Each structure stands twice: as C-alpha cells, then as structure tokens.
Amino acid sequence: NAIRALADFISRVDELNGNYQGATINVGKIEGGGATNIVPDLALAYIDVRTKTIADEEWLMNHFHRIINDIN
C-alpha cells in the first residue's frame, strides 16, 4: 500500500526536524489513492526542504535514503 509506505516515510522524516541545526523539513501536501476498494500503488508527498550548506543537504539526503531503504 503506497499510502501506508508514504505515511511511514513522512513520520520518520518529521522526526529529523530539530535533530540537525542546518536542515528543516515541511511536508506541505500529500496525494494518493483512488477508489476505496483498490489498494493504492502510488502516493506523493510535496516536501519543502531547507538547508544552509552542502554538508547539511548531504546529511539530510543520507537520512532520506536510509529511511527509504528501511521501508522498502
């Protein structure tokens, strides 16, 4: 279920806020699913990410990739 996987991702990404001085994350919009009797195969999240340096961006992307690998 793509919505469930995305919900797990969003929850874990939100936990990163406040744990690293140079990065902030805000999930601004979520889309997914269709008919209620069909398991969704696609879900989207629109995420605003702000970093101060390239090192901050690398820290954040490394965590994003780890979270994705854990969920998959």
Side-chain angles (χ1 to χ4, degrees), residues 1 3 32-42:
N1 184 320
I3 292 175
T36 58
N37 64 337
I38 298 173
V39 176
D41 63 349
L42 178 67

Side-chain angles (χ1 to χ4, degrees), residues 22-62:
T24 59
I25 307 148
N26 179 58
V27 179
K29 185 176 180 181
I30 302 168
E31 296 178 2
T36 58
N37 64 337
I38 298 173
V39 176
D41 63 349
L42 178 67
L44 304 171
Y46 298 85
I47 303 172
D48 180 55
V49 174
R50 297 184 187 207
T51 58
K52 295 179 183 178
T53 67
I54 291 176
D56 298 340
E57 183 178 340
E58 289 172 352
W59 179 88
L60 197 56
M61 293 307 296
N62 285 336

Side-chain angles (χ1 to χ4, degrees), residues 4-13 15-16 61-72:
R4 174 55 200 250
L6 183 59
D8 291 345
F9 176 79
I10 290 168
S11 179
R12 297 215 16 222
V13 163
E15 292 172 2
L16 296 176
M61 293 307 296
N62 285 336
H63 278 77
F64 277 14
H65 288 292
R66 278 192 215 137
I67 293 167
I68 291 167
N69 288 335
D70 286 350
I71 292 169
N72 286 331

